[in-house]
Amino acid sequence: MFKGASNFEINDGHFVIGNITNYHVMPNDTKTEIRDWLKAPDCSVNFQTAVDKKTNGTGQWIVNHSKYKNWKENSTVLWIQGKGRS
């Protein structure tokens, strides 16, 4: 984390520490730390890991099912409900 991580805001496009009536603008290195902290993770790694683990034919049961085929030919809404809670 970065210093002041629990007490910062964005005001007029600036990262500020403290409240709006008593604040100081954060230095650029702190802004960089915050932006890095807020940055979305690289999801391509997880995606590739999932692709590598995929088994051929996964999910084919649904596209081969008669009710799915009927829906695809005749409907616009598909509702698939998973296992309910016990």
Side-chain angles (χ1 to χ4, degrees):
M1 285 287 216
F2 50 89
K3 184 178 178 184
S6 63
N7 190 23
F8 77 93
E9 299 180 29
I10 298 175
N11 183 21
D12 263 345
H14 299 284
F15 286 108
V16 296
I17 299 173
N19 60 43
I20 299 304
T21 58
N22 182 20
Y23 72 89
H24 63 277
V25 175
M26 292 184 185
N28 285 335
D29 58 333
T30 304
K31 290 180 192 179
T32 301
E33 287 182 54
I34 293 170
R35 286 189 177 111
D36 288 346
W37 178 64
L38 294 172
K39 193 172 10 176
D42 179 5
C43 62
S44 65
V45 174
N46 289 342
F47 173 78
Q48 192 57 52
T49 301
V51 167
D52 293 342
K53 292 180 179 180
K54 181 180 177 255
T55 301
N56 286 337
T58 298
Q60 290 300 306
W61 65 271
I62 194 167
V63 296
N64 293 328
H65 196 283
S66 60
K67 287 185 179 182
Y68 174 82
K69 289 179 180 180
N70 183 49
W71 163 81
K72 189 174 178 181
E73 292 175 10
N74 302 305
S75 299
T76 58
V77 176
L78 174 64
W79 182 285
I80 300 175
Q81 184 161 341
K83 182 178 178 182
R85 292 185 180 183
S86 300

Coordinates of all heavy atoms in Angstrom, one line a residue:
M1 N 0.8 -1.2 0.0 CA 0.0 0.0 0.0 C 0.9 1.2 0.0 O 2.1 1.2 0.2 CB -0.9 0.0 1.2 CG -2.0 -0.9 1.2 SD -3.3 -0.3 0.1 CE -4.7 -0.9 1.0
F2 N 0.2 2.4 -0.1 CA 0.9 3.6 -0.1 C 0.5 4.5 1.1 O -0.6 4.2 1.7 CB 0.7 4.4 -1.4 CG -0.8 4.5 -1.7 CD1 -1.6 5.5 -1.3 CD2 -1.4 3.5 -2.5 CE1 -2.9 5.6 -1.5 CE2 -2.8 3.6 -2.8 CZ -3.5 4.6 -2.3
K3 N 1.3 5.4 1.4 CA 1.0 6.3 2.6 C -0.3 7.0 2.3 O -0.5 7.6 1.3 CB 2.2 7.3 2.8 CG 2.0 8.1 4.0 CD 3.2 9.0 4.2 CE 3.0 9.9 5.4 NZ 4.1 10.9 5.5
G4 N -1.2 7.0 3.3 CA -2.4 7.7 3.1 C -3.5 7.0 2.3 O -4.5 7.5 1.9
A5 N -3.3 5.7 2.1 CA -4.1 4.9 1.3 C -5.6 4.8 1.8 O -6.5 4.7 1.0 CB -3.6 3.4 1.2
S6 N -5.8 5.0 3.1 CA -7.1 4.9 3.6 C -7.8 6.3 3.7 O -8.9 6.4 4.1 CB -7.1 4.3 5.0 OG -6.3 5.2 5.9
N7 N -7.1 7.3 3.3 CA -7.7 8.7 3.4 C -7.4 9.5 2.2 O -6.7 10.5 2.3 CB -7.2 9.3 4.7 CG -7.9 10.6 5.0 OD1 -9.0 10.8 4.6 ND2 -7.3 11.5 5.8
F8 N -7.8 9.1 1.0 CA -7.5 9.9 -0.2 C -8.8 10.0 -1.0 O -9.7 9.2 -0.9 CB -6.4 9.3 -1.0 CG -6.7 8.2 -1.8 CD1 -7.2 8.3 -3.2 CD2 -6.7 6.9 -1.3 CE1 -7.5 7.2 -3.9 CE2 -7.0 5.8 -2.1 CZ -7.4 6.0 -3.4
E9 N -8.9 11.1 -1.8 CA -10.0 11.3 -2.6 C -9.5 11.9 -4.0 O -8.3 12.2 -4.1 CB -10.9 12.4 -2.0 CG -11.5 12.0 -0.7 CD -12.4 13.1 -0.2 OE1 -13.0 13.9 -1.0 OE2 -12.5 13.2 1.0
I10 N -10.4 11.9 -4.9 CA -10.1 12.6 -6.2 C -10.9 13.9 -6.2 O -12.1 13.8 -6.1 CB -10.3 11.7 -7.4 CG1 -9.5 10.5 -7.3 CG2 -10.1 12.5 -8.7 CD1 -9.7 9.4 -8.4
N11 N -10.3 15.0 -6.4 CA -11.0 16.3 -6.4 C -10.5 17.1 -7.6 O -9.3 17.4 -7.6 CB -10.8 17.0 -5.1 CG -11.6 18.3 -5.0 OD1 -12.6 18.5 -5.8 ND2 -11.2 19.2 -4.2
D12 N -11.4 17.5 -8.5 CA -11.0 18.2 -9.6 C -9.9 17.5 -10.4 O -8.9 18.2 -10.9 CB -10.5 19.6 -9.3 CG -11.6 20.7 -9.4 OD1 -12.6 20.4 -10.0 OD2 -11.4 21.8 -8.9
G13 N -9.9 16.2 -10.5 CA -9.0 15.5 -11.2 C -7.6 15.3 -10.5 O -6.7 14.7 -11.1
H14 N -7.5 15.7 -9.2 CA -6.3 15.5 -8.5 C -6.5 14.5 -7.4 O -7.6 14.5 -6.7 CB -5.9 16.9 -7.9 CG -5.6 17.9 -8.9 ND1 -4.4 17.9 -9.6 CD2 -6.3 19.0 -9.3 CE1 -4.5 19.0 -10.4 NE2 -5.6 19.6 -10.2
F15 N -5.5 13.7 -7.1 CA -5.5 12.8 -5.9 C -5.2 13.7 -4.7 O -4.2 14.5 -4.8 CB -4.5 11.7 -6.0 CG -4.8 10.6 -7.0 CD1 -4.2 10.5 -8.2 CD2 -5.8 9.7 -6.6 CE1 -4.5 9.5 -9.0 CE2 -6.2 8.7 -7.5 CZ -5.5 8.6 -8.7
V16 N -6.0 13.7 -3.7 CA -5.7 14.5 -2.5 C -5.8 13.6 -1.3 O -6.5 12.6 -1.2 CB -6.8 15.7 -2.4 CG1 -6.7 16.6 -3.5 CG2 -8.2 15.1 -2.3
I17 N -5.0 14.0 -0.3 CA -4.9 13.3 1.0 C -5.7 14.2 2.0 O -5.5 15.4 2.0 CB -3.5 13.1 1.5 CG1 -2.7 12.2 0.5 CG2 -3.5 12.5 2.8 CD1 -1.3 12.1 0.8
G18 N -6.5 13.6 2.8 CA -7.3 14.4 3.8 C -8.7 14.7 3.2 O -9.1 14.3 2.2
N19 N -9.3 15.6 4.0 CA -10.7 16.0 3.5 C -10.5 17.3 2.6 O -9.5 17.9 2.5 CB -11.6 16.3 4.7 CG -11.1 17.3 5.6 OD1 -10.7 18.4 5.2 ND2 -11.2 17.1 6.9
I20 N -11.6 17.6 1.9 CA -11.5 18.7 0.9 C -11.2 20.0 1.5 O -10.6 20.9 0.9 CB -12.9 18.7 0.1 CG1 -13.1 17.4 -0.6 CG2 -12.9 19.9 -0.8 CD1 -12.0 17.0 -1.5
T21 N -11.6 20.3 2.8 CA -11.3 21.6 3.4 C -9.9 21.7 3.9 O -9.4 22.7 4.1 CB -12.3 21.9 4.5 OG1 -12.2 20.8 5.5 CG2 -13.7 22.0 4.0
N22 N -9.2 20.5 4.1 CA -7.9 20.5 4.7 C -7.1 19.4 4.0 O -7.0 18.3 4.5 CB -7.9 20.3 6.2 CG -6.6 20.3 6.8 OD1 -5.6 20.8 6.2 ND2 -6.4 19.7 8.0
Y23 N -6.6 19.7 2.8 CA -5.9 18.7 2.0 C -4.6 19.2 1.4 O -4.4 20.4 1.3 CB -6.8 18.1 1.0 CG -7.1 19.0 -0.2 CD1 -6.3 19.0 -1.3 CD2 -8.2 19.9 -0.2 CE1 -6.5 19.9 -2.4 CE2 -8.5 20.7 -1.2 CZ -7.6 20.7 -2.3 OH -7.9 21.5 -3.4
H24 N -3.8 18.3 0.9 CA -2.7 18.7 0.0 C -2.7 17.7 -1.1 O -3.1 16.6 -1.0 CB -1.4 18.7 0.8 CG -1.0 17.4 1.3 ND1 -1.4 16.9 2.5 CD2 -0.1 16.5 0.8 CE1 -0.9 15.7 2.7 NE2 -0.1 15.4 1.7
V25 N -2.3 18.3 -2.3 CA -2.2 17.5 -3.5 C -1.1 16.5 -3.3 O 0.0 16.8 -2.9 CB -2.0 18.4 -4.7 CG1 -1.8 17.5 -6.0 CG2 -3.2 19.3 -4.9
M26 N -1.3 15.2 -3.7 CA -0.3 14.2 -3.6 C 0.8 14.4 -4.6 O 0.6 14.8 -5.7 CB -0.9 12.8 -3.9 CG -1.9 12.4 -2.8 SD -2.5 10.7 -3.2 CE -3.7 10.5 -2.0
P27 N 2.0 14.1 -4.2 CA 3.2 14.1 -5.1 C 3.0 13.1 -6.2 O 2.2 12.1 -6.1 CB 4.4 13.8 -4.3 CG 3.9 13.4 -2.9 CD 2.4 13.6 -2.9
N28 N 3.6 13.3 -7.4 CA 3.5 12.5 -8.5 C 3.8 11.0 -8.2 O 3.2 10.1 -8.8 CB 4.3 13.0 -9.7 CG 3.7 14.2 -10.3 OD1 2.5 14.4 -10.3 ND2 4.5 15.0 -11.0
D29 N 4.9 10.7 -7.4 CA 5.2 9.3 -7.1 C 4.1 8.6 -6.4 O 3.8 7.4 -6.6 CB 6.5 9.2 -6.4 CG 6.6 10.0 -5.1 OD1 5.9 11.0 -4.9 OD2 7.4 9.5 -4.2
T30 N 3.4 9.3 -5.5 CA 2.2 8.8 -4.8 C 1.1 8.5 -5.8 O 0.4 7.5 -5.7 CB 1.8 9.7 -3.6 OG1 2.9 9.9 -2.8 CG2 0.6 9.0 -2.9
K31 N 0.9 9.5 -6.7 CA -0.2 9.3 -7.7 C 0.1 8.0 -8.5 O -0.8 7.2 -8.8 CB -0.2 10.5 -8.7 CG -0.8 11.7 -8.0 CD -0.7 12.8 -9.1 CE -1.0 14.2 -8.5 NZ -1.0 15.2 -9.5
T32 N 1.4 7.8 -8.9 CA 1.7 6.6 -9.6 C 1.5 5.4 -8.8 O 0.9 4.4 -9.4 CB 3.2 6.7 -10.0 OG1 3.4 7.9 -10.8 CG2 3.6 5.5 -10.8
E33 N 1.8 5.4 -7.5 CA 1.5 4.2 -6.7 C 0.0 3.9 -6.6 O -0.4 2.8 -6.7 CB 2.0 4.5 -5.3 CG 3.5 4.5 -5.1 CD 3.9 4.7 -3.7 OE1 3.4 4.0 -2.8 OE2 4.7 5.6 -3.4
I34 N -0.8 5.0 -6.5 CA -2.2 4.8 -6.4 C -2.8 4.2 -7.7 O -3.5 3.3 -7.7 CB -2.9 6.1 -6.1 CG1 -2.6 6.5 -4.6 CG2 -4.5 6.0 -6.2 CD1 -3.0 7.9 -4.3
R35 N -2.3 4.8 -8.8 CA -2.8 4.3 -10.1 C -2.4 2.9 -10.3 O -3.2 2.1 -10.9 CB -2.3 5.2 -11.2 CG -3.0 6.5 -11.3 CD -2.6 7.3 -12.5 NE -3.3 8.6 -12.6 CZ -2.8 9.8 -12.4 NH1 -1.5 9.9 -12.2 NH2 -3.6 10.8 -12.5
D36 N -1.2 2.5 -9.9 CA -0.7 1.1 -10.1 C -1.6 0.2 -9.2 O -1.9 -0.9 -9.5 CB 0.7 1.0 -9.7 CG 1.6 1.6 -10.8 OD1 1.2 1.8 -11.9 OD2 2.8 1.8 -10.5
W37 N -1.9 0.7 -8.0 CA -2.7 -0.1 -7.0 C -4.1 -0.3 -7.6 O -4.7 -1.4 -7.4 CB -2.7 0.6 -5.7 CG -3.6 0.0 -4.6 CD1 -3.4 -1.2 -4.0 CD2 -4.7 0.6 -4.0 NE1 -4.3 -1.4 -3.0 CE2 -5.1 -0.3 -3.0 CE3 -5.4 1.8 -4.1 CZ2 -6.2 -0.1 -2.2 CZ3 -6.4 2.1 -3.3 CH2 -6.9 1.1 -2.4
L38 N -4.7 0.7 -8.2 CA -6.1 0.7 -8.7 C -6.1 -0.1 -10.1 O -7.2 -0.4 -10.5 CB -6.6 2.1 -8.9 CG -6.9 2.8 -7.6 CD1 -7.3 4.3 -7.9 CD2 -7.9 2.2 -6.7
K39 N -5.0 -0.2 -10.7 CA -5.0 -0.8 -12.1 C -5.6 -2.2 -12.1 O -5.3 -3.0 -11.2 CB -3.6 -0.8 -12.6 CG -3.5 -1.0 -14.1 CD -2.1 -0.9 -14.7 CE -1.0 -0.7 -13.7 NZ 0.3 -0.6 -14.3
A40 N -6.4 -2.5 -13.1 CA -6.9 -3.8 -13.3 C -5.8 -4.8 -13.5 O -4.8 -4.5 -14.2 CB -7.9 -3.8 -14.4
P41 N -6.0 -6.0 -13.0 CA -4.9 -7.0 -13.2 C -4.9 -7.5 -14.7 O -5.9 -7.3 -15.4 CB -5.3 -8.2 -12.3 CG -6.8 -8.0 -12.1 CD -7.1 -6.5 -12.2
D42 N -3.8 -8.1 -15.1 CA -3.7 -8.6 -16.4 C -4.5 -10.0 -16.5 O -4.0 -11.0 -16.0 CB -2.3 -8.9 -16.8 CG -2.1 -9.4 -18.2 OD1 -3.1 -9.6 -18.9 OD2 -0.9 -9.7 -18.5
C43 N -5.7 -9.9 -17.0 CA -6.5 -11.1 -17.0 C -6.1 -12.1 -18.1 O -6.6 -13.3 -18.1 CB -8.0 -10.7 -17.2 SG -8.4 -9.9 -18.7
S44 N -5.2 -11.8 -19.0 CA -4.8 -12.7 -20.1 C -4.1 -13.9 -19.5 O -4.2 -15.0 -20.1 CB -3.9 -12.0 -21.1 OG -2.7 -11.6 -20.5
V45 N -3.4 -13.8 -18.4 CA -2.7 -14.9 -17.8 C -3.8 -15.9 -17.3 O -3.6 -17.1 -17.6 CB -1.9 -14.4 -16.6 CG1 -1.3 -15.6 -15.9 CG2 -0.8 -13.5 -17.1
N46 N -4.8 -15.5 -16.6 CA -5.8 -16.4 -16.1 C -6.6 -17.0 -17.3 O -7.0 -18.2 -17.3 CB -6.8 -15.7 -15.2 CG -6.2 -15.4 -13.9 OD1 -5.2 -15.9 -13.5 ND2 -6.8 -14.4 -13.2
F47 N -6.9 -16.2 -18.3 CA -7.6 -16.7 -19.5 C -6.7 -17.8 -20.1 O -7.3 -18.9 -20.5 CB -7.8 -15.6 -20.5 CG -8.4 -16.0 -21.8 CD1 -9.7 -16.4 -21.9 CD2 -7.6 -16.2 -22.9 CE1 -10.2 -16.8 -23.1 CE2 -8.1 -16.6 -24.1 CZ -9.4 -16.9 -24.2
Q48 N -5.5 -17.6 -20.3 CA -4.6 -18.6 -21.0 C -4.5 -19.9 -20.1 O -4.6 -21.0 -20.7 CB -3.2 -18.1 -21.3 CG -2.4 -18.9 -22.2 CD -3.1 -19.2 -23.5 OE1 -3.5 -18.3 -24.2 NE2 -3.2 -20.4 -23.9
T49 N -4.5 -19.7 -18.8 CA -4.4 -20.9 -17.9 C -5.7 -21.7 -18.1 O -5.7 -22.9 -18.2 CB -4.3 -20.4 -16.5 OG1 -3.0 -19.7 -16.4 CG2 -4.2 -21.6 -15.5
A50 N -6.9 -21.0 -18.2 CA -8.1 -21.7 -18.3 C -8.2 -22.4 -19.7 O -8.7 -23.5 -19.8 CB -9.3 -20.7 -18.2
V51 N -7.7 -21.7 -20.7 CA -7.7 -22.3 -22.1 C -6.9 -23.6 -22.1 O -7.3 -24.6 -22.7 CB -7.2 -21.3 -23.1 CG1 -6.9 -22.0 -24.5 CG2 -8.3 -20.2 -23.3
D52 N -5.7 -23.5 -21.4 CA -4.8 -24.6 -21.4 C -5.4 -25.8 -20.7 O -5.1 -27.0 -20.9 CB -3.5 -24.3 -20.7 CG -2.7 -23.3 -21.6 OD1 -3.0 -23.1 -22.8 OD2 -1.8 -22.7 -21.0
K53 N -6.3 -25.6 -19.7 CA -7.0 -26.7 -19.0 C -8.3 -27.1 -19.6 O -8.8 -28.1 -19.1 CB -7.3 -26.2 -17.5 CG -6.0 -26.0 -16.7 CD -6.4 -25.5 -15.3 CE -5.1 -25.3 -14.5 NZ -5.5 -24.8 -13.1
K54 N -8.7 -26.5 -20.6 CA -10.0 -26.8 -21.2 C -10.0 -28.2 -21.8 O -9.0 -28.6 -22.4 CB -10.4 -25.8 -22.3 CG -11.7 -26.1 -23.0 CD -12.0 -25.1 -24.1 CE -13.3 -25.4 -24.8 NZ -13.1 -26.0 -26.1
T55 N -11.0 -29.0 -21.6 CA -11.2 -30.3 -22.1 C -12.0 -30.2 -23.4 O -13.1 -29.6 -23.3 CB -11.8 -31.3 -21.1 OG1 -11.0 -31.3 -19.9 CG2 -12.0 -32.7 -21.6
N56 N -11.6 -30.8 -24.4 CA -12.4 -30.9 -25.7 C -13.8 -31.4 -25.4 O -13.9 -32.4 -24.6 CB -11.7 -31.7 -26.8 CG -10.5 -31.0 -27.4 OD1 -10.4 -29.7 -27.3 ND2 -9.6 -31.7 -27.9
G57 N -14.8 -30.8 -25.9 CA -16.1 -31.2 -25.8 C -16.8 -30.6 -24.6 O -18.0 -30.9 -24.4
T58 N -16.1 -29.8 -23.8 CA -16.8 -29.2 -22.6 C -17.9 -28.4 -23.1 O -17.8 -27.6 -24.0 CB -15.8 -28.3 -21.9 OG1 -14.7 -29.1 -21.4 CG2 -16.4 -27.6 -20.7
G59 N -19.1 -28.6 -22.4 CA -20.3 -27.8 -22.7 C -21.1 -28.2 -24.0 O -22.1 -27.7 -24.3
Q60 N -20.6 -29.3 -24.7 CA -21.3 -29.7 -25.9 C -22.6 -30.3 -25.6 O -23.5 -30.3 -26.4 CB -20.4 -30.7 -26.6 CG -19.2 -30.1 -27.3 CD -19.6 -29.0 -28.3 OE1 -20.4 -29.3 -29.2 NE2 -19.1 -27.8 -28.1
W61 N -22.8 -30.9 -24.3 CA -24.0 -31.5 -24.0 C -25.2 -30.5 -24.2 O -26.3 -30.9 -24.6 CB -24.0 -32.0 -22.6 CG -23.8 -31.0 -21.5 CD1 -22.7 -30.5 -21.0 CD2 -24.9 -30.2 -20.9 NE1 -22.9 -29.5 -20.1 CE2 -24.3 -29.3 -20.0 CE3 -26.3 -30.3 -20.9 CZ2 -25.0 -28.5 -19.2 CZ3 -27.0 -29.4 -20.2 CH2 -26.4 -28.5 -19.3
I62 N -25.0 -29.2 -23.8 CA -26.1 -28.3 -23.9 C -26.4 -28.0 -25.4 O -27.6 -27.9 -25.7 CB -25.8 -27.0 -23.1 CG1 -27.2 -26.3 -22.9 CG2 -24.8 -26.2 -23.7 CD1 -27.2 -25.2 -21.9
V63 N -25.4 -27.8 -26.2 CA -25.7 -27.4 -27.6 C -26.2 -28.6 -28.4 O -26.8 -28.4 -29.5 CB -24.5 -26.7 -28.3 CG1 -24.1 -25.4 -27.7 CG2 -23.3 -27.6 -28.3
N64 N -26.0 -29.8 -27.9 CA -26.6 -31.0 -28.6 C -27.9 -31.4 -28.0 O -28.6 -32.3 -28.6 CB -25.6 -32.1 -28.4 CG -24.3 -31.9 -29.2 OD1 -24.3 -31.2 -30.2 ND2 -23.2 -32.4 -28.7
H65 N -28.4 -30.7 -26.9 CA -29.6 -31.1 -26.3 C -30.8 -30.6 -27.1 O -30.8 -29.5 -27.7 CB -29.7 -30.5 -24.9 CG -30.7 -31.0 -24.0 ND1 -32.1 -30.7 -24.1 CD2 -30.6 -31.9 -23.0 CE1 -32.7 -31.4 -23.2 NE2 -31.9 -32.1 -22.5
S66 N -31.9 -31.4 -27.2 CA -33.0 -31.1 -28.1 C -33.7 -29.8 -27.6 O -34.2 -29.0 -28.5 CB -34.0 -32.3 -28.0 OG -34.5 -32.5 -26.7
K67 N -33.8 -29.6 -26.3 CA -34.4 -28.3 -25.8 C -33.6 -27.1 -26.3 O -34.2 -26.1 -26.6 CB -34.6 -28.3 -24.3 CG -35.7 -29.3 -23.9 CD -35.9 -29.2 -22.4 CE -37.0 -30.1 -21.9 NZ -37.3 -30.0 -20.5
Y68 N -32.3 -27.2 -26.2 CA -31.5 -26.1 -26.7 C -31.7 -25.9 -28.2 O -31.8 -24.7 -28.6 CB -30.0 -26.3 -26.4 CG -29.1 -25.3 -27.0 CD1 -28.9 -24.1 -26.3 CD2 -28.5 -25.4 -28.2 CE1 -28.1 -23.1 -26.9 CE2 -27.7 -24.5 -28.8 CZ -27.5 -23.3 -28.1 OH -26.7 -22.3 -28.6
K69 N -31.7 -26.9 -28.9 CA -31.8 -26.8 -30.4 C -33.2 -26.2 -30.7 O -33.3 -25.3 -31.6 CB -31.7 -28.2 -31.1 CG -30.3 -28.7 -31.1 CD -30.2 -30.1 -31.7 CE -28.7 -30.6 -31.7 NZ -28.6 -31.9 -32.3
N70 N -34.2 -26.6 -30.0 CA -35.6 -26.0 -30.2 C -35.6 -24.5 -29.8 O -36.1 -23.7 -30.6 CB -36.6 -26.8 -29.3 CG -38.0 -26.2 -29.6 OD1 -38.4 -26.1 -30.7 ND2 -38.7 -25.9 -28.5
W71 N -34.9 -24.2 -28.7 CA -34.8 -22.8 -28.4 C -34.1 -22.0 -29.4 O -34.6 -20.9 -29.9 CB -34.1 -22.6 -27.0 CG -33.6 -21.2 -26.9 CD1 -34.4 -20.1 -26.4 CD2 -32.3 -20.6 -27.2 NE1 -33.6 -19.0 -26.5 CE2 -32.4 -19.2 -27.0 CE3 -31.2 -21.2 -27.7 CZ2 -31.3 -18.4 -27.2 CZ3 -30.1 -20.3 -27.9 CH2 -30.2 -19.0 -27.7
K72 N -33.0 -22.5 -29.9 CA -32.2 -21.7 -30.9 C -33.0 -21.5 -32.2 O -32.8 -20.4 -32.8 CB -30.9 -22.5 -31.2 CG -29.9 -21.8 -32.0 CD -28.6 -22.6 -32.2 CE -27.7 -21.8 -33.1 NZ -26.4 -22.5 -33.3
E73 N -33.8 -22.4 -32.5 CA -34.6 -22.2 -33.8 C -35.9 -21.4 -33.6 O -36.3 -20.7 -34.5 CB -35.1 -23.6 -34.3 CG -33.9 -24.4 -34.8 CD -34.3 -25.8 -35.2 OE1 -35.6 -26.1 -35.3 OE2 -33.4 -26.7 -35.4
N74 N -36.4 -21.3 -32.3 CA -37.7 -20.7 -32.1 C -37.8 -19.6 -31.1 O -38.9 -18.9 -31.0 CB -38.7 -21.8 -31.7 CG -38.8 -22.9 -32.8 OD1 -39.0 -22.6 -33.9 ND2 -38.6 -24.1 -32.4
S75 N -36.8 -19.3 -30.3 CA -36.9 -18.4 -29.2 C -35.9 -17.3 -29.2 O -34.9 -17.4 -29.9 CB -36.9 -19.1 -27.9 OG -37.9 -20.0 -27.8
T76 N -36.1 -16.3 -28.4 CA -35.1 -15.2 -28.2 C -34.5 -15.2 -26.8 O -33.5 -14.5 -26.6 CB -35.7 -13.9 -28.5 OG1 -36.8 -13.7 -27.6 CG2 -36.2 -13.8 -29.9
V77 N -35.1 -15.9 -25.8 CA -34.6 -15.9 -24.5 C -34.2 -17.3 -24.0 O -35.0 -18.3 -24.3 CB -35.7 -15.3 -23.5 CG1 -35.2 -15.4 -22.0 CG2 -36.1 -13.9 -23.9
L78 N -33.1 -17.5 -23.4 CA -32.7 -18.7 -22.9 C -32.4 -18.6 -21.4 O -31.6 -17.7 -21.0 CB -31.4 -19.2 -23.6 CG -30.8 -20.5 -23.0 CD1 -31.7 -21.7 -23.2 CD2 -29.4 -20.8 -23.7
W79 N -33.0 -19.4 -20.6 CA -32.8 -19.4 -19.1 C -32.2 -20.7 -18.7 O -32.8 -21.7 -18.9 CB -34.2 -19.2 -18.4 CG -34.1 -19.1 -16.9 CD1 -33.8 -20.1 -16.0 CD2 -34.2 -17.9 -16.1 NE1 -33.8 -19.7 -14.8 CE2 -34.0 -18.3 -14.8 CE3 -34.4 -16.6 -16.5 CZ2 -34.1 -17.4 -13.8 CZ3 -34.5 -15.7 -15.4 CH2 -34.3 -16.1 -14.1
I80 N -31.0 -20.6 -18.2 CA -30.3 -21.8 -17.7 C -30.2 -21.7 -16.2 O -29.5 -20.7 -15.8 CB -29.0 -22.1 -18.4 CG1 -29.1 -22.2 -19.9 CG2 -28.3 -23.3 -17.8 CD1 -27.8 -22.3 -20.6
Q81 N -30.8 -22.5 -15.4 CA -30.7 -22.4 -14.0 C -29.8 -23.5 -13.5 O -29.9 -24.7 -13.8 CB -32.1 -22.5 -13.3 CG -32.0 -22.4 -11.8 CD -33.4 -22.0 -11.3 OE1 -34.3 -21.6 -12.0 NE2 -33.5 -22.2 -10.0
G82 N -28.8 -23.1 -12.6 CA -27.9 -24.1 -12.0 C -28.6 -24.8 -10.8 O -29.8 -24.6 -10.5
K83 N -27.8 -25.6 -10.2 CA -28.3 -26.3 -9.0 C -28.7 -25.3 -7.9 O -28.0 -24.4 -7.6 CB -27.2 -27.2 -8.5 CG -27.5 -28.0 -7.3 CD -26.4 -28.9 -6.9 CE -26.7 -29.7 -5.7 NZ -25.6 -30.5 -5.2
G84 N -29.9 -25.5 -7.4 CA -30.4 -24.6 -6.4 C -29.8 -24.9 -5.0 O -29.2 -25.9 -4.8
R85 N -29.9 -23.9 -4.1 CA -29.4 -24.2 -2.8 C -30.3 -25.1 -2.0 O -31.5 -25.1 -2.1 CB -29.3 -22.8 -2.0 CG -28.3 -21.9 -2.6 CD -28.1 -20.7 -1.8 NE -27.1 -19.8 -2.4 CZ -26.7 -18.7 -1.8 NH1 -27.3 -18.3 -0.7 NH2 -25.8 -18.0 -2.4
S86 N -29.7 -25.9 -1.2 CA -30.5 -26.8 -0.3 C -30.9 -26.2 1.0 O -30.3 -25.4 1.5 CB -29.7 -28.1 -0.1 OG -29.3 -28.7 -1.3

